[in-house]
C-alpha cells in the first residue's frame, strides 16, 4: 500500500504514519513542518494544503492507494474541496477524519450513522454556520459537515468518513486525560461529576489509527462513528487515574445542578463531563462490524500516564489551556459542600 497522510506529525496523524510503516506500507506525509518532526521512514513533503500550487507539487509524488486527511479540523469546506479536486487523479480512495459534531442532534440525542447531518455547502468559507445559544449546533460542526460534502462530491463511493467522539492516548494535544491524571496525582478530595456510574466512550488513538488503515485498504464507503463500544463509568475512569498515578485521592461526587450553581463549565473545567443525553450515546456498531477493535480504557489511561510522566511533550495547542478547573475554585466548591 502507498498512502498519503495529510498531517502526520502529531497525535492521530503520527500514530497512523507509525502504524502504516510497521505494516511495511509506503507513507508520504504532507504538512507545513510547524507542528513537529515527521516520523522517521516517511517521505515528507512540505507545503500548505490551502495553496493550489503546493498541492499540484505534492501530486507529483503520487500516485497513492489512499489519502488519509487528518488536518482539516480548522479549515473551511472550500479548502477541503481544493485538496480533493487537486489530488483526485492521483489517488484511489479518500479517508476523511471528521467528527460527531456533524450530526444535527449532537450532543442532545443518541446517534447512529443514519442520523441527519448539518447542512453546509462544499464550497463554503469559514463564515458559514453558527453556534446555537445553548452551544449546539456549532459553527465547527457546520464546517466539518461541509468538509465531508466536499470529499463526497469529488470521491463519491471512494470516500470514507470517520466520526470520532473523544480520542485519548499517548501524545494527546487537547489535555483532557493528562489533566485528570495530574489531578489524581495531586490527591486529596477531588471534585467529580455525578452520577459516578455515567458511562463514557473515549477511544484510544492507536485503535483509531488501526481502523483508519483498515479502511484505507478496504472498499467500504460512507460514515463510521468511532466510539468505544464498551466504555467505562466515570467512577471507573477516575479509579484508573488514581491507580495509574499511585494516588490516594478521594473523588467527591457532586450533582450537576450544584456544579452549575458554582459556574463549573461542562466539557472543559471538568474534562469529559457533559450532561447532554447524547454526548456518550453514539452507536459504533457499524465500525465494530467493519473491524474497529478497542483496547480497555484502563490500558489507555496507564499508557498515557507512562508517556506523560516520562517525556510527554504535547504539541503546543491553544485548546490545552481550556481544560481543567482552577485549584482555588475547586477547593472553594469542595469547602461549600
Amino acid at each position: 500500500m502507498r498512502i498519503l497522510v495529510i498531517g502526520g506529525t502529531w497525535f492521530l496523524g503520527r500514530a497512523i504514519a507509525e502504524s502504516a510503516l510497521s505494516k511495511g506500507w509506503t507513507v508520504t506525509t504532507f504538512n507545513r513542518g510547524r507542528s513537529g518532526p515527521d516520523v522517521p521512514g516517511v517521505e515528507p513533503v512540505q507545503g500548505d494544503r490551502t495553496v493550489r500550487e503546493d498541492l499540484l507539487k505534492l501530486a507529483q509524488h503520487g500516485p497513492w492507494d489512499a489519502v488519509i486527511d487528518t488536518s482539516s479540523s480548522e479549515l473551511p469546506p472550500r479548502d477541503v474541496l481544493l485538496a480533493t479536486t487537486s489530488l483526485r487523479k492521483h489517488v484511489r480512495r479518500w479517508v476523511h477524519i471528521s467528527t460527531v459534531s456533524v450530526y444535527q442532534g449532537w450532543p442532545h440525542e443518541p446517534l447512529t450513522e443514519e442520523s441527519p447531518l448539518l447542512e453546509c455547502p462544499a464550497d463554503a468559507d469559514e463564515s458559514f454556520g453558527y453556534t446555537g445559544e445553548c452551544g449546539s449546533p456549532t459553527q465547527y460542526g457546520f464546517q466539518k459537515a461541509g468538509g465531508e460534502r466536499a470529499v463526497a462530491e469529488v470521491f463519491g463511493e471512494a470516500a470514507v468518513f470517520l466520526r470520532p467522539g473523544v480520542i485519548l492516548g499517548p501524545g494527546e494535544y487537547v489535555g483532557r486525560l493528562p489533566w485528570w491524571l495530574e489531578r489524581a496525582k495531586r490527591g486529596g478530595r477531588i471534585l467529580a461529576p455525578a452520577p459516578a456510574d455515567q458511562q463514557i466512550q473515549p477511544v484510544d488513538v492507536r485503535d483509531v489509527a488501526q481502523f483508519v488503515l483498515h479502511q484505507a485498504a478496504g472498499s467500504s464507503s460512507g460514515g463510521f462513528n468511532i466510539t468505544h463500544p464498551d466504555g467505562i463509568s466515570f467512577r471507573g475512569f477516575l479509579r484508573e487515574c488514581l491507580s495509574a498515578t499511585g494516588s490516594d485521592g478521594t473523588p467527591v461526587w457532586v450533582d450537576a445542578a450544584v456544579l452549575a450553581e458554582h459556574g463549573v463549565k461542562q466539557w472543559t473545567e471538568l474534562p469529559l463531563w457533559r450532561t447532554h443525553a447524547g454526548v456518550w450515546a453514539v452507536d459504533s456498531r457499524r465500525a465494530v462490524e467493519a473491524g474497529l477493535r478497542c483496547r480497555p480504557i484502563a490500558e489507555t489511561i496507564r499508557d498515557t500516564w507512562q508517556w506523560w510522566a516520562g517525556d510527554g511533550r504535547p504539541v503546543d495547542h491553544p485548546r490545552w489551556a481550556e481544560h481543567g478547573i482552577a485549584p482555588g475554585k475547586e477547593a472553594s466548591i469542595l469547602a461549600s459542600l
Side-chain angles (χ1 to χ4, degrees), residues 233-257:
S233 69
F234 227 113
R235 177 187 287 108
F237 175 81
L238 289 188
R239 183 189 304 122
E240 293 297 338
C241 288
L242 292 166
S243 175
T245 59
S247 173
D248 60 356
T250 303
V252 178
W253 299 97
V254 180
D255 288 341

Side-chain angles (χ1 to χ4, degrees), residues 100-119:
V100 292
S101 296
V102 299
Y103 290 110
Q104 292 180 20
W106 168 259
H108 304 285
E109 305 169 2
L111 298 172
T112 72
E113 288 84 1
E114 302 303 317
S115 301
L117 304 181
L118 296 168
E119 293 290 336

Side-chain angles (χ1 to χ4, degrees), residues 86-267:
S86 299
L87 298 173
R88 182 63 184 100
K89 294 180 180 180
H90 305 276
V91 61
R92 177 181 64 85
R93 186 167 174 77
W94 191 285
V95 181
H96 195 71
I97 309 303
S98 187
T99 170
V100 292
S101 296
V102 299
Y103 290 110
Q104 292 180 20
W106 168 259
H108 304 285
E109 305 169 2
L111 298 172
T112 72
E113 288 84 1
E114 302 303 317
S115 301
L117 304 181
L118 296 168
E119 293 290 336
C120 179
D123 59 352
D125 64 18
E126 60 275 5
S127 67
F128 189 91
Y130 63 92
T131 296
E133 293 183 3
C134 64
S136 176
T138 62
Q139 187 172 38
Y140 170 75
F142 280 104
Q143 294 277 311
K144 292 292 283 184
E148 285 196 14
R149 175 167 288 186
V151 176
E153 287 188 359
V154 177
F155 276 83
E157 292 299 308
V160 179
F161 307 100
L162 306 187
R163 300 170 184 146
V166 173
I167 304 176
L168 303 178
E172 184 194 339
Y173 67 90
V174 175
R176 295 182 176 107
L177 180 50
W179 184 84
W180 276 115
L181 287 164
E182 282 291 338
R183 181 61 194 91
K185 180 186 177 184
R186 198 163 77 240
R189 300 172 74 218
I190 301 171
L191 186 66
D197 60 356
Q198 170 65 59
Q199 290 289 115
I200 61 177
Q201 300 175 290
V203 288
D204 191 292
V205 63
R206 296 162 293 184
D207 298 329
V208 179
Q210 288 296 325
F211 187 67
V212 167
L213 296 180
H214 184 66
Q215 289 304 306
S219 59
S220 299
S221 63
F224 291 92
N225 295 332
I226 311 297
T227 58
H228 202 292
D230 301 318
I232 190 172
S233 69
F234 227 113
R235 177 187 287 108
F237 175 81
L238 289 188
R239 183 189 304 122
E240 293 297 338
C241 288
L242 292 166
S243 175
T245 59
S247 173
D248 60 356
T250 303
V252 178
W253 299 97
V254 180
D255 288 341
V258 177
L259 294 174
E261 288 175 4
H262 289 275
V264 178
K265 297 177 182 177
Q266 296 188 36
W267 210 235

Side-chain angles (χ1 to χ4, degrees), residues 283-333:
D283 191 337
S284 60
R285 281 178 292 183
R286 183 169 191 251
V288 171
E289 291 170 357
L292 175 66
R293 298 293 179 266
C294 292
R295 71 197 67 204
I297 296 172
E299 182 178 334
T300 302
I301 293 169
R302 290 193 300 269
D303 290 351
T304 302
W305 176 246
Q306 185 176 16
W307 161 74
W308 182 247
D311 61 351
R313 296 173 183 166
V315 173
D316 186 16
H317 194 281
R319 293 183 68 188
W320 191 273
E322 298 176 359
H323 291 87
I325 190 169
K329 182 175 182 178
E330 180 189 21
S332 176
I333 295 171

Side-chain angles (χ1 to χ4, degrees), residues 11 18 41 86 103 108 148 269 272-273 305 334:
F11 202 39
E18 290 173 343
S86 299
Y103 290 110
H108 304 285
E148 285 196 14
E269 285 194 297
L272 305 179
W273 169 60
W305 176 246
L334 289 169

Side-chain angles (χ1 to χ4, degrees), residues 8-54:
T9 60
W10 49 301
F11 202 39
L12 179 57
R14 191 172 190 87
I16 290 168
E18 290 173 343
S19 296
L21 289 171
S22 73
K23 295 176 181 292
W25 293 10
T26 299
V27 181
T28 302
T29 57
F30 179 63
N31 53 68
R32 294 176 298 176
R34 299 177 184 176
S35 297
D38 278 288
V39 175
V42 306
E43 178 192 13
V45 179
Q46 288 195 356
D48 188 332
R49 63 172 296 165
T50 67
V51 177
R52 183 171 178 78
E53 290 74 16
D54 287 1

